[in-house]
């Protein structure tokens, strides 16, 4: 999936929800899964028809852009 987030951050399968500027001048980027396959149960591969919840993750040392 190629979208603006992929072009900007070189992260395929995600989209930017919002960006915040923090008091120390850094930015916090809120991302969401943009790949519809993420709705599928990993065990039975049945696709969800409604949102039942969300998960917050905090990736560390996430590479971005060209190295």
């Amino acid at each position: 999936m190629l979208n603006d987030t992929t072009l900007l951050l070189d992260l395929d399968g995600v989209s930017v929800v919002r960006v915040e500027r923090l008091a120390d001048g850094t930015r916090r980027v809120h991302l969401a899964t943009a790949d519809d396959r993420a709705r599928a149960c990993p065990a039975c591969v049945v696709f969800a028809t409604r949102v039942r919840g969300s998960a917050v993750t905090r990736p560390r040392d996430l590479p971005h852009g060209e190295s």
Side-chain angles (χ1 to χ4, degrees):
M1 169 182 292
L2 185 63
N3 60 37
D4 290 340
T5 303
T6 301
L7 293 172
L8 177 64
L9 302 175
D10 200 24
L11 295 172
D12 196 21
V14 298
S15 61
V16 174
V17 175
R18 74 177 193 269
V19 179
E20 299 175 81
R21 173 84 59 187
L22 302 179
D24 64 0
T26 60
R27 291 178 294 261
R28 178 180 297 148
V29 180
H30 297 258
L31 304 172
T33 302
D35 189 340
D36 284 338
R37 293 174 292 178
R39 305 185 291 121
C41 171
C44 66
V45 195
V46 172
F47 282 82
T49 57
R50 63 188 173 100
V51 176
R52 294 194 178 128
S54 61
V56 175
T57 60
R58 289 177 170 70
R60 293 183 179 93
D61 299 324
L62 184 65
H64 61 86
E66 292 182 25
S67 299

